[in-house]
Amino acid sequence: MIALPADEVVDGWKARSRPLEQAELGLVRAIVGRPPWIPERSEHALRYALNLARLSLVRLPDGTDLDVGGFLAPFREELGPVATALFVDKVVVEANAVTGLVPHLQSRTRDWRDRLLAAFEGRLPAETLDRECCEKALLLACGGGGGVAWSYLGAFDLLQQFGLTPRLLSGTSMGAALALFRARAVRWDAEEAAAALQGLTFRKLFRFLQTGSRYGLPAAMRLYLRAAVIGHLQKADGQPPTLGELAIPLVVACAGLRTGALPREPEYYEHLLDQHAGEPHEPLAVRVPVDLLKVVGELMSQRDRFARLYLGADEGTADFDAIDAVGFSSALPGVIHYDVLREDPRMHALLDDLFRRRDLFRLVDGGLVDNLPARPLWGLAQAGAIGTRNTFLLGLEGFAPKLSQPLWYGLEQIAAQNVARSRPFVGLLRSYQRVLSPLEVVPGPGSLKKAVQAGRAELLPDMPLLARLCRPYPTPFPPRPA
């Protein structure tokens, strides 16, 4: 997979393209939200104009990229103020003004398209240019939060029903775990996924026991993710896939504790929940978020303790075992410990190299640094990971602050802070409200069914917009007469 560019590079790309992306989103939102007020051909002409002005690099049939950003800069400068004036906060200001703009803009867009094709004649085929302007790839980012993430299965079902397949996926913690199941095949099979998840139990996933630690921070519970799910994810040779071998590329957010940054001895985190181990379920359900907030708050008091890691996108991480990546992303400090203690020279070499290059001490839950990894997903697409740069990013998250979950409110606020940094990269954020408790990591059949139904129901109103945005449309510029 192509390596992720630096944050400042990705931010620069987004600053240039965002007004045009928001204008297209505002246009399509207005079209699906009102009675017909603009002909379909005019919609296509406007969307083509916005996507043409956005172009920088175009993937050619031979696999190389052609830089057309400089050539189109005058057109982008001409169109930018128009887009900003007509579309404010992704909303059409005045439908009549938009309709009146179409003839002039259609003419200007066709002229610039012809000039571009003539300037790069023999290198840039018209069909390649039109495909880049008329076809939009869906990117899907899945936030963490334990049991709240089960609603995402309903979203997976609904996207498949509408014929929408993500081209890139990212996830944090439980969101990464479910994204891994989505990434294993291009087509989402809800029945197959249900059968795979049906056999999961708390006892299969977690054990209260002390073990050594090599890469993960010790905690009260040990996560046996690999043993629990490998049977549903392994390749023909019996081995689990690497992040780079999945049918849909997956990026997993993880937090790296820097060397010397841990404020307490590791044993403190290993024994954090010992005092609650024998208590009834309800007291434990009350104490876990309280103790976890204390630990996370202490760790987060100095943000330079952490390195943001994006396994699958960062240099040298595409060959990571996909299950291991998800396991580390799910390792809640003091609560869940994940590690690679088995004999696995390949993974040990990859982890040792990562620890050396990034000066790391341990790996922990990705939610501490990025609970909705949208920036790396968008940046990876713009760097050329899937060829096209014409993308739309859907974010799914269920751990936003909720008064209905007062015990988790403090942790939800911490997560919301890093989700806010991702918002400029998200075209549409579905923040689920009807979710399971974060502690329902292994829900019963009834709870799981309820979560999936809620996941479908809450995303359903967004589907006309998503479907129209991601549906290819014909070029509005037929060939000129010879």
Side-chain angles (χ1 to χ4, degrees):
M1 186 182 288
I2 292 175
L4 179 65
D7 281 354
E8 56 268 23
V9 175
V10 176
D11 290 343
W13 289 342
K14 173 53 74 171
R16 187 179 72 175
S17 65
R18 192 181 185 201
L20 300 167
E21 293 172 345
Q22 289 189 319
E24 183 184 18
L25 177 57
L27 173 65
V28 177
R29 192 188 298 278
I31 288 170
V32 300
R34 306 180 188 177
W37 57 276
I38 188 171
E40 196 171 61
R41 184 176 177 84
S42 296
E43 173 200 343
H44 297 163
L46 288 170
R47 292 180 64 186
Y48 194 105
L50 293 166
N51 283 300
L52 181 66
R54 174 195 53 78
L55 286 184
S56 178
L57 296 175
V58 179
R59 181 63 51 86
L60 299 176
D62 64 3
T64 62
D65 287 327
L66 176 66
D67 190 347
V68 299
F71 186 90
L72 289 171
F75 182 54
R76 188 161 49 250
E77 292 173 5
E78 175 186 341
L79 189 59
V82 176
T84 302
L86 293 178
F87 305 95
V88 178
D89 293 332
K90 309 174 191 176
V91 176
V92 173
V93 174
E94 177 54 57
N96 290 337
V98 174
T99 304
L101 178 68
V102 171
H104 171 73
L105 190 55
Q106 188 168 9
S107 175
R108 294 292 294 152
T109 304
R110 180 165 189 163
D111 287 344
W112 273 100
R113 175 180 179 272
D114 290 347
R115 290 170 59 185
L116 182 63
L117 293 173
F120 296 99
E121 187 175 6
R123 294 189 64 194
L124 177 60
E127 56 269 24
T128 297
L129 176 62
D130 291 341
R131 187 180 306 113
E132 182 64 19
C133 291
C134 299
E135 297 183 13
K136 195 176 297 292
L138 178 65
L139 314 179
L140 182 60
C142 300
V148 304
W150 289 109
S151 293
Y152 306 164
L153 294 182
F156 297 169
D157 291 351
L158 201 56
L159 291 172
Q160 183 63 54
Q161 179 182 327
F162 277 76
L164 301 179
T165 299
R167 295 283 301 279
L168 275 178
L169 290 159
S170 69
T172 297
S173 192
M174 189 65 176
L178 296 181
L180 174 58
F181 271 86
R182 180 62 191 90
R184 63 183 181 159
V186 172
R187 180 175 177 80
W188 172 249
D189 189 326
E191 292 185 2
E192 183 182 352
L197 297 168
Q198 201 169 34
L200 292 181
T201 65
F202 190 90
R203 288 181 177 272
K204 284 185 178 180
L205 281 172
F206 300 103
R207 296 178 194 172
F208 285 89
L209 51 81
Q210 295 182 15
T211 64
S213 70
R214 183 169 179 174
Y215 304 105
L217 186 66
M221 293 189 295
R222 176 78 190 277
L223 173 59
Y224 284 82
L225 183 65
R226 187 182 178 91
V229 304
I230 192 171
H232 305 288
L233 294 168
Q234 62 193 6
K235 302 176 295 182
D237 62 3
Q239 295 300 310
T242 66
L243 290 169
E245 292 173 334
L246 293 167
I248 303 175
L250 172 64
V251 176
V252 176
C254 193
L257 273 166
R258 300 186 190 278
T259 301
L262 197 63
R264 298 176 183 266
E265 292 297 318
E267 291 75 17
Y268 168 80
Y269 303 94
E270 184 173 13
H271 298 287
L272 181 70
L273 298 184
D274 282 1
Q275 59 182 313
H276 312 302
E279 296 179 6
H281 175 73
E282 187 57 31
L284 183 61
V286 172
R287 290 303 307 170
V288 167
V290 173
D291 290 345
L292 185 56
L293 179 59
K294 176 183 174 182
V295 168
V296 170
E298 185 177 55
L299 290 171
M300 297 294 289
S301 64
Q302 296 181 20
R303 291 193 176 275
D304 60 356
R305 296 184 196 273
F306 294 104
R308 287 199 313 273
L309 306 175
Y310 297 110
L311 306 179
D314 288 342
E315 178 186 354
T317 62
D319 290 332
F320 266 51
D321 181 306
I323 299 176
D324 287 337
V326 169
F328 284 120
S329 182
S330 305
L332 280 170
V335 180
I336 297 173
H337 172 216
Y338 185 85
D339 223 317
V340 178
L341 302 178
R342 64 184 184 272
E343 287 296 324
D344 192 333
R346 188 187 67 83
M347 270 304 296
H348 288 312
L350 288 169
L351 284 162
D352 290 342
D353 179 63
L354 176 66
F355 272 52
R356 186 189 69 255
R357 287 188 291 106
R358 302 296 295 269
D359 189 27
L360 302 179
F361 173 65
R362 290 293 189 268
L363 300 179
V364 292
D365 194 300
L368 274 64
V369 292
D370 194 345
N371 205 46
L372 184 70
R375 179 201 298 262
L377 196 62
W378 188 88
L380 205 59
Q382 296 306 306
I386 56 174
T388 182
R389 275 83 174 184
N390 188 358
T391 63
F392 185 80
L393 198 152
L394 170 64
L396 305 176
E397 64 105 12
F399 202 60
K402 300 178 186 66
L403 294 177
S404 60
Q405 295 181 336
L407 288 172
W408 295 92
Y409 194 78
L411 288 165
E412 290 169 343
Q413 285 184 310
I414 292 174
Q417 292 173 11
N418 63 52
V419 169
R421 294 194 291 271
S422 297
R423 286 295 284 115
F425 299 87
V426 179
L428 174 65
L429 178 63
R430 172 44 53 203
S431 184
Y432 282 107
Q433 300 302 306
R434 289 177 288 160
V435 294
L436 302 183
S437 163
L439 289 179
E440 288 190 79
V441 177
V442 188
S447 293
L448 181 58
K449 181 179 180 180
K450 184 195 305 183
V452 173
Q453 290 174 342
R456 289 179 58 92
E458 291 193 47
L459 185 63
L460 186 59
D462 300 316
M463 291 311 302
L465 174 66
L466 279 171
R468 198 174 190 104
L469 273 168
C470 297
R471 183 181 68 198
Y473 58 89
T475 173
F477 308 109
R480 295 185 187 274

